[in-house]
Amino acid sequence: MKTVQVLDKSFSIYLSEEKILEQVKRVADEINRDLEGQDPIFMGILNGSFMFASDLYKDIVVDSQITFLKLASYEGTSSTGKIKRLIGINEDIKDKTVVVIEDIVDTGHTLENIIKQLNGYEPKSIKIVTLLFKPGAYQKDYPIDYTCFEIPNDFILGYGLDYDGYGRNLRDIYKIVE
Ligand code: IMP
Ligand code: MG
């Protein structure tokens, strides 16, 4: 079995690049069908979604735009350290269909934070697409519109996802060996 060592942990192959790209194509086809004529703007959430967003967007054929956002910790004394500010919104998204591209939805705290901040810009609608979804860990009610894979509550990495900043370059997705 294909395994990798990243920092102090071992990971074994979980989803091959081929399997990933198959599901990415399936989801892109669904989005192409649903958002035809809506001129959506895709918003990839950095860092984790960069590889997924790139592959997904190559399969999107509807007229659309893409940009990338990042959640940044507040600096200075006003920070609670909990709510992170979404940076990089320069496009006017008022009355637009926004498609948030996430690498993984775990508890959903990050997603909720993103949705709340985007809502402040009064988009027409917000759709969520995620590469991975852990239904067993999800604590929110926001519908996840498009999911490539539902996975159990294991720690995974590769294909953009990291362990302490490492492992994002792996083409396949790996699961931690306990
Ligand atoms: P949430 O806010 O609990 O939904 O967590 C979302 C964020 O946690 C993701 O954007 C990832 O950065 C990170 N994360 C959650 N699960 C994993 C995992 O299994 N591997 C790597 N990162 C993860
Ligand atoms: Mg992330």
Side-chain angles (χ1 to χ4, degrees):
M1 167 130 32
K2 209 165 157 185
T3 63
V4 291
Q5 177 80 20
V6 176
L7 301 174
D8 60 334
K9 302 210 185 306
S10 297
F11 295 82
S12 60
I13 184 94
Y14 181 51
L15 299 167
S16 67
E17 180 181 31
E18 187 189 358
K19 248 182 140 176
I20 295 166
L21 293 178
E22 203 177 278
Q23 291 306 305
V24 170
K25 179 75 168 75
R26 171 186 61 81
V27 161
D29 288 345
E30 289 175 23
I31 294 173
N32 286 328
R33 186 195 60 212
D34 295 349
L35 300 187
E36 167 80 67
Q38 292 200 35
D39 191 18
I41 180 159
F42 290 81
M43 297 194 147
I45 308 301
L46 296 173
N47 296 322
S49 82
F50 78 97
M51 212 175 273
F52 172 46
S54 169
D55 284 334
L56 179 78
Y57 201 54
K58 283 184 266 185
D59 285 328
I60 294 295
V61 297
V62 299
D63 289 337
S64 60
Q65 296 172 291
I66 188 167
T67 189
F68 291 85
L69 306 180
K70 190 164 178 133
L71 284 167
S73 299
Y74 284 109
E75 286 175 27
T77 50
S78 62
S79 170
T80 62
K82 283 199 120 184
I83 298 291
K84 290 182 165 183
R85 192 170 58 97
L86 202 50
I87 57 171
I89 310 179
N90 359 356
E91 277 76 6
D92 189 4
I93 63 167
K94 189 168 156 40
D95 299 326
K96 292 218 40 155
T97 299
V98 169
V99 185
V100 172
I101 306 176
E102 264 288 22
D103 53 350
I104 184 164
V105 178
D106 190 306
T107 63
H109 291 309
T110 306
L111 183 66
E112 175 172 70
N113 185 3
I114 291 165
I115 290 173
K116 282 187 171 165
Q117 293 192 56
L118 286 177
N119 270 330
Y121 293 84
E122 300 176 32
K124 177 178 164 202
S125 68
I126 300 175
K127 303 277 183 206
I128 309 298
V129 51
T130 188
L131 173 69
L132 301 155
F133 177 43
K134 294 180 179 172
Y138 196 51
Q139 296 171 16
K140 307 291 172 185
D141 298 319
Y142 303 99
I144 312 294
D145 301 279
Y146 307 98
T147 301
C148 292
F149 299 95
E150 290 195 355
I151 62 167
N153 287 353
D154 302 307
F155 189 81
I156 51 99
L157 94 171
Y159 194 68
L161 289 112
D162 71 303
Y163 168 47
D164 235 1
Y166 293 87
R168 296 191 195 275
N169 51 330
L170 298 165
R171 289 172 171 267
D172 308 298
I173 290 176
Y174 294 77
K175 186 164 100 172
I176 197 161
V177 178
E178 302 290 356

